[in-house]
Amino acid sequence: MNKYLLPIAALGIIMTSCSGSSTKSADSTVNDTLTHNQTDGTLIAKRYISADLKKFGLLGSVKSAQPIPDDLITTCLNETLDFNEQGKLTTKFLTYYDNRITTDANGYITGTSCQDADGTSWTVTFSKLNDNGWATEGKYETEGPKNKTVVNFTYTYDATDSIGNWTQRTLRGTRTIQPMDYETGDYTIPQPSTPVEKVQTREVIYYQDAE
């Protein structure tokens, strides 16, 4: 059966809306990640000022996180993330439909899914996270009227800003494509996997920078 004609899998039971509230209030202070003091090397605590900022692994008084457009992986997280001064997420995620996010017991993102008006769907599942809650390993799947694509990938983080938020990371992995057979409406045998590599960058803007 052509999976393209089916709705996104019924993960909604365990998912929350991209713009929905977390299990913790947005203004709760989370303080559970350690980093080294730049002056004497002692361990000090990083502080997430809200549950929403922690969900996205963003430290400090973040006003927005603006990703450079990515033509390899499509998720609702490709949109600019905007927050109010209390750290509450204000982005409405209007580019795609049925945007959803899954989180783990610590409140970090473990997956996203969304779809386009033509029924094309995108799903990302993060299988490993680092101590900051940033994804380090995952799987990307998309199904649409042209093909079905699977990318198994890892992330390495190449650069961070002075606050500690990442500004550049590199995706490395393999991509497998199954073209659509337009006569049957089914996907054909997968083509041989090919390596992929993509540098992803973003700009993080803080409220103190905007003043």
Side-chain angles (χ1 to χ4, degrees):
M1 180 180 292
N2 179 5
K3 294 183 179 179
Y4 165 67
L5 298 177
L6 295 176
I8 294 178
L11 294 175
I13 298 176
I14 61 172
M15 292 182 175
T16 59
S17 167
C18 283
S19 57
S21 60
S22 177
T23 54
K24 296 182 180 180
S25 62
D27 59 356
S28 63
T29 298
V30 184
N31 182 8
D32 59 1
T33 303
L34 297 178
T35 188
H36 283 89
N37 188 310
Q38 292 183 352
T39 57
D40 60 13
T42 58
L43 287 174
I44 59 175
K46 291 182 177 180
R47 186 172 296 274
Y48 295 101
I49 68 171
S50 73
D52 279 358
L53 286 169
K54 180 184 178 181
K55 178 188 294 186
F56 293 94
L58 287 165
L59 297 159
S61 184
V62 174
K63 181 179 178 68
S64 67
Q66 303 173 351
I68 302 300
D70 187 344
D71 58 0
L72 179 62
I73 287 183
T74 300
T75 78
C76 64
L77 302 186
N78 289 129
E79 295 192 40
T80 297
L81 303 174
D82 294 312
F83 301 87
N84 65 20
E85 292 187 77
Q86 288 71 48
K88 177 69 175 179
L89 180 71
T90 59
T91 301
K92 300 301 182 183
F93 298 105
L94 300 177
T95 301
Y96 302 108
Y97 296 91
D98 199 24
N99 289 312
R100 296 181 182 273
I101 288 178
T102 57
T103 57
D104 63 13
N106 294 316
Y108 294 124
I109 292 173
T110 56
T112 73
S113 66
C114 55
Q115 62 179 345
D116 208 345
D118 67 357
T120 301
S121 64
W122 300 276
T123 301
V124 180
T125 303
F126 300 133
S127 52
K128 290 185 180 180
L129 308 175
N130 65 15
D131 291 339
N132 291 325
W134 303 345
T136 58
E137 188 174 301
K139 182 179 183 179
Y140 169 68
E141 300 174 88
T142 178
E143 298 186 22
K146 294 182 178 180
N147 57 58
K148 176 180 179 180
T149 301
V150 175
V151 178
N152 292 290
F153 64 87
T154 60
Y155 281 132
T156 55
Y157 291 87
D158 311 318
T160 58
D161 63 16
S162 60
I163 304 299
N165 291 311
W166 73 265
T167 54
Q168 178 177 303
R169 66 184 180 184
T170 301
L171 177 151
R172 296 180 179 88
T174 58
R175 175 169 53 193
T176 305
I177 298 175
Q178 290 179 261
M180 171 76 76
D181 184 330
Y182 294 106
E183 292 185 0
T184 64
D186 295 324
Y187 296 110
T188 62
I189 297 174
Q191 298 175 350
S193 297
T194 57
V196 291
E197 183 170 327
K198 180 78 173 182
V199 175
Q200 301 173 330
T201 60
R202 70 176 180 180
E203 180 182 12
V204 182
I205 298 174
Y206 301 88
Y207 274 97
Q208 58 266 31
D209 296 334
E211 294 176 353

